[in-house]
Amino acid sequence: MTAPTLAQRPSKALLLGLVVSGLLALITLAVMLVAGGPVGFGLSMLLAFAPLPVLLAAVLSLDRLEPEPKLHLAFAFAWGAGVAIVLGIALTFVGQEWVKTGYGSAVAESIGTVYLAPVIEEALKGAALLLLLRRRQEIDNLTDGIVYASMAGLGFAAVENVGYYLLAFGADGPGAAIQLFVVRGLIDPLGHPIYTSLIGLGVAYAITRRTTFRYAMIPLGYLGAVFLHALWNGAASTGSLTWLGGAYLVIMTTLVTLVVVTVNERRHLVGKMALYLPIYQHTGLISDADVRMLTTLPARKAARKWARRAGLGRAMSDYQQAATELTILHLRAERRELDPVRFAVERDAYLGVMAQARRW
């Protein structure tokens, strides 16, 4: 969407975080390559990253009405793949070494897997959401929190899986790596995104609600993420299919709940479009047909398809996006986050984009 008056320049902190996180991810993968050799590393990379396009598409599809800035999404993914991975490994190792001095290696490994890893890793992945608090305008609803958290979880899982597959390959060959892939890559590929999404829900709730105890949702979300993570790790460590099945059921129930949240928010946003957009019919930028087109996903998709055939694909996308942002602007005003002057400036900018794009 072309709206230069509204575009937020990327902060130096965001760009620095993206670069540092990306470099740490590359260094981590390079260390794995040296330690595991090119054959094992190549197979592990293939197994870890092959499902990623489908998983990314699934996460991003949750936010089709108002896609988040690509740079912010890339930051969340890189943070999970870089900073969270490196610090997670380091802090868990330190904790296990401390436990080992008093209780031995077996106990230290068990505590590290079931307790230390969930507590440390969820805090580190969730830190990406806390850093994005400075860009509060980018988190407009609970769905945004879920999407950013899922991106951090996917980045973390991708690099972590390379390490796990490489260890399996080194111990028992390619068959073991593929067997592990069935569990981590096919049966439970969304584990980390689901865990961290609870933190995203907490952060988004704190930003978008005005209740007295809204900030309490952040630590509650964190505790929920740690619980799910520890539940899965604990069940996996028992080797019991019953425990694994129970943990998997809880995690999948959480996934269904997250999807329900996003669907309900989408319906709410569409309903608000039908309420607010007709206000601007006097401008000539929105007709009854436009409102009907904008307020259902199938109609929006059909309009974009028609526009592409007519050579207006980019214009239609800009128009739909600006209309959606205009509705979200009204929702932010409902929450009393905007003074009248700021509201007017942003409203006129979105209307300007719509005027420039509307050629039908």
Side-chain angles (χ1 to χ4, degrees), residues 6-268:
L6 293 179
Q8 279 190 297
R9 293 181 60 186
S11 68
K12 293 180 180 178
L14 183 69
L15 292 174
L16 179 62
L18 179 59
V19 171
V20 171
S21 298
L23 287 175
L24 287 175
L26 291 175
I27 291 171
T28 302
L29 292 173
V31 170
M32 292 180 184
L33 170 61
V34 173
V39 176
F41 179 78
L43 176 62
S44 299
M45 282 283 290
L46 177 63
L47 295 176
F49 283 84
L52 199 54
V54 175
L55 298 177
L56 287 171
V59 168
L60 297 179
S61 70
L62 299 176
D63 201 27
R64 286 178 291 169
L65 279 181
E66 190 240 341
E68 298 307 303
K70 292 182 177 61
L71 184 64
H72 293 72
L73 294 171
F75 165 77
F77 184 89
W79 179 273
V83 173
I85 280 286
V86 171
L87 291 182
I89 293 172
L91 293 176
T92 301
F93 175 78
V94 170
Q96 285 180 310
E97 289 298 308
W98 181 78
V99 173
K100 188 187 298 184
T101 58
Y103 300 96
S105 299
V107 173
E109 183 176 351
S110 178
I111 289 178
T113 300
V114 181
Y115 298 103
L116 291 179
V119 168
I120 293 170
E121 291 173 5
E122 294 310 319
L124 291 169
K125 289 183 292 175
L129 276 297
L130 296 179
L131 291 171
L132 286 170
L133 276 173
R134 296 187 62 185
R135 311 285 288 187
R136 299 171 68 93
Q137 190 173 338
E138 299 302 341
I139 299 181
D140 299 304
N141 48 46
L142 301 181
T143 299
D144 291 348
I146 293 172
V147 169
Y148 282 122
S150 295
M151 292 298 289
L154 285 175
F156 187 95
V159 176
E160 182 186 56
N161 282 343
V162 174
Y164 276 117
Y165 299 150
L166 195 57
L167 288 174
F169 178 90
D172 298 301
I178 294 172
Q179 186 176 4
L180 184 59
F181 166 75
V182 172
V183 176
R184 298 184 66 89
L186 297 181
I187 296 177
D188 188 39
L190 288 171
H192 278 290
I194 293 172
Y195 312 149
T196 313
S197 286
L198 296 184
I199 303 175
L201 275 177
V203 172
Y205 187 93
I207 291 176
T208 60
R209 301 299 190 270
R210 286 296 171 263
T211 58
T212 304
F213 300 104
R214 63 188 184 274
Y215 286 105
M217 295 303 295
I218 297 177
L220 286 176
Y222 169 69
L223 290 175
V226 170
F227 169 76
L228 288 182
H229 197 158
L231 178 66
W232 177 257
N233 283 9
S237 67
T238 66
S240 167
L241 290 178
T242 301
W243 275 99
L244 272 174
Y248 190 75
L249 180 61
V250 172
I251 293 170
M252 288 300 103
T253 300
T254 304
L255 174 60
V256 171
T257 302
L258 293 171
V259 172
V260 169
V261 168
T262 63
V263 170
N264 286 339
E265 284 205 324
R266 188 180 299 162
R267 289 175 178 171
H268 177 258

